[in-house]
Amino acid sequence: MDIAPAFWHIDLIKKLEEQKVIIGSVSDTGSLLELKSGNCDETGNIIFLNLLSLGIKYSPKALVKLKNDYSAKGITLIQLWEDIWESRPVQVINRLLSLLGLNQQRVHGRQTTVSPVTQTEADHFMDQYHLQGGVKSRYRLALMSKGEMVAVATFSARRRMSLIAETYYSVELIRFASVSGVVVQGGLSKLIRHLINLVKPDDVMTYADLDWSSGAAYEKLGFTLVHTQPASEIWVSRSSGKRYFEHRLPPDFVLDPAEYIPVFNTGNLKYILYLNGR
């Protein structure tokens, strides 16, 4: 018996079809979709999208296995939770289009200049173009093309890693995003090199969210995978839609636990770009 798809599935599919994405259903429930670009014969861009509704109890182990099974075949599988779609629909569509190679204008990194930006400017850019929005950072660098920001990367302050050596310092790449529909070739590499020259760390560290990434882009930049973090429990506020990791739950969680819906991610990959011959 066919099961009617959730309303948010229908909304997502409609918006993808408006962008000329070819959609096929892989499961009877309509929750596992195959997405193809209209020119997939030329680009070979095909991804699978697993739609996860709030209020349904999923097994982290099963979702991690599903992700790994697809990865073993060289297939990209995205795990999309309902709350992410409801809170960031424009950013979700733009990220999927980017993965499919659609609506992309190419800008060469060498044709851009690096410029520092304020926290407010970085937050505004990330709120527009990053799935997770803006977050506090110490260093904020933009790539400018014809007077306009086309990409932004944000970094932490330099941190001393005394367990490695008293003079060893690390910096975290926190966010990177580009304008929707624009691919800045070599853009992230250019921003990282600028940060390295500015701060002179011994390494640059970052994380890849396994719901959305396999980390391949970081490996192409010379990063080394050092740790795979397991699935993490996350709580979603019914009223605000905001996500909280368990160690950062607000005080009212104890008073009104029903206000929060449990979800999880499928883990994170920790990458380090080692410098100075290490």
Side-chain angles (χ1 to χ4, degrees), residues 79-96:
Q79 313 267 20
L80 175 59
W81 284 91
E82 179 181 358
D83 66 296
I84 298 296
W85 169 251
E86 294 292 351
S87 63
R88 310 286 287 171
V90 173
Q91 290 77 14
V92 168
I93 293 294
N94 288 335
R95 180 71 180 273
L96 294 175

Side-chain angles (χ1 to χ4, degrees), residues 14-129:
K14 179 182 177 181
K15 287 183 168 56
L16 285 170
E17 289 177 337
E18 289 172 354
Q19 299 296 326
K20 312 303 181 185
V21 175
I22 300 170
I23 303 169
S25 180
V26 179
S27 65
D28 292 338
T29 62
S31 60
L32 184 58
L33 305 177
E34 180 188 60
L35 308 183
K36 299 180 182 179
S37 56
N39 58 346
C40 64
D41 290 339
E42 299 176 10
T43 66
N45 288 357
I46 299 175
I47 62 175
F48 287 79
L49 186 61
N50 192 26
L51 306 180
L52 305 171
S53 295
L54 297 178
I56 296 179
K57 190 173 182 180
Y58 299 97
S59 163
K61 184 177 180 180
L63 291 188
V64 170
K65 182 180 184 303
L66 181 67
K67 175 83 172 184
N68 291 340
D69 288 347
Y70 274 78
S71 294
K73 300 174 185 177
I75 300 172
T76 298
L77 173 71
I78 305 300
Q79 313 267 20
L80 175 59
W81 284 91
E82 179 181 358
D83 66 296
I84 298 296
W85 169 251
E86 294 292 351
S87 63
R88 310 286 287 171
V90 173
Q91 290 77 14
V92 168
I93 293 294
N94 288 335
R95 180 71 180 273
L96 294 175
L97 293 178
S98 177
L99 291 170
L100 289 167
L102 291 171
N103 299 337
Q104 291 188 345
Q105 171 191 350
R106 296 191 178 274
V107 175
H108 291 283
R110 64 177 178 270
Q111 297 173 332
T112 64
T113 56
V114 178
S115 176
V117 293
T118 66
Q119 182 70 59
T120 299
E121 290 171 324
D123 286 345
H124 180 71
F125 190 92
M126 294 299 174
D127 286 342
Q128 284 185 290
Y129 303 118

Side-chain angles (χ1 to χ4, degrees), residues 231-248:
S232 298
E233 190 170 46
I234 302 168
W235 296 84
V236 180
S237 167
R238 294 179 186 271
S239 57
S240 70
K242 186 174 181 179
R243 286 185 159 209
Y244 297 92
F245 284 97
E246 193 166 16
H247 65 287
R248 293 182 176 174

Side-chain angles (χ1 to χ4, degrees), residues 39-271:
N39 58 346
C40 64
D41 290 339
E42 299 176 10
T43 66
N45 288 357
I46 299 175
I47 62 175
F48 287 79
L49 186 61
N50 192 26
L51 306 180
L52 305 171
S53 295
L54 297 178
I56 296 179
K57 190 173 182 180
Y58 299 97
S59 163
K61 184 177 180 180
L63 291 188
V64 170
K65 182 180 184 303
L66 181 67
K67 175 83 172 184
N68 291 340
D69 288 347
Y70 274 78
S71 294
K73 300 174 185 177
I75 300 172
T76 298
L77 173 71
I78 305 300
Q79 313 267 20
L80 175 59
W81 284 91
E82 179 181 358
D83 66 296
I84 298 296
W85 169 251
E86 294 292 351
S87 63
R88 310 286 287 171
V90 173
Q91 290 77 14
V92 168
I93 293 294
N94 288 335
R95 180 71 180 273
L96 294 175
L97 293 178
S98 177
L99 291 170
L100 289 167
L102 291 171
N103 299 337
Q104 291 188 345
Q105 171 191 350
R106 296 191 178 274
V107 175
H108 291 283
R110 64 177 178 270
Q111 297 173 332
T112 64
T113 56
V114 178
S115 176
V117 293
T118 66
Q119 182 70 59
T120 299
E121 290 171 324
D123 286 345
H124 180 71
F125 190 92
M126 294 299 174
D127 286 342
Q128 284 185 290
Y129 303 118
H130 196 283
L131 275 174
Q132 297 174 309
V135 67
K136 186 176 180 180
S137 54
R138 174 64 179 83
Y139 299 99
R140 302 160 296 274
L141 301 173
L143 288 177
M144 309 296 293
S145 175
K146 299 178 181 178
E148 299 290 335
M149 280 191 287
V150 292
V152 171
T154 63
F155 301 86
S156 72
R158 197 172 71 152
R159 301 162 178 162
R160 187 170 67 178
M161 312 298 287
S162 57
L163 292 179
I164 299 175
E166 285 297 321
T167 58
Y168 190 101
Y169 291 89
S170 177
V171 170
E172 180 181 354
L173 167 63
I174 302 173
R175 295 276 194 274
F176 173 75
S178 60
V179 171
S180 299
V182 173
V183 175
V184 185
Q185 295 177 315
L188 178 56
S189 177
K190 183 169 184 173
L191 289 170
I192 291 174
R193 289 197 307 271
H194 187 93
L195 185 281
I196 291 170
N197 291 332
L198 180 68
V199 180
K200 297 179 172 50
D202 294 285
D203 73 47
V204 179
M205 180 270 289
T206 195
Y207 293 97
D209 180 354
L210 279 170
D211 279 358
W212 283 87
S213 172
S214 65
Y218 294 123
E219 293 176 9
K220 288 180 181 179
L221 294 176
F223 282 78
T224 300
L225 176 63
V226 297
H227 181 60
T228 300
Q229 296 179 331
S232 298
E233 190 170 46
I234 302 168
W235 296 84
V236 180
S237 167
R238 294 179 186 271
S239 57
S240 70
K242 186 174 181 179
R243 286 185 159 209
Y244 297 92
F245 284 97
E246 193 166 16
H247 65 287
R248 293 182 176 174
L249 282 167
D252 68 345
F253 177 80
V254 177
L255 300 175
D256 188 14
E259 157 66 11
Y260 297 89
I261 305 169
V263 298
F264 55 87
N265 66 13
T266 45
N268 294 285
L269 301 175
K270 182 178 179 179
Y271 281 95

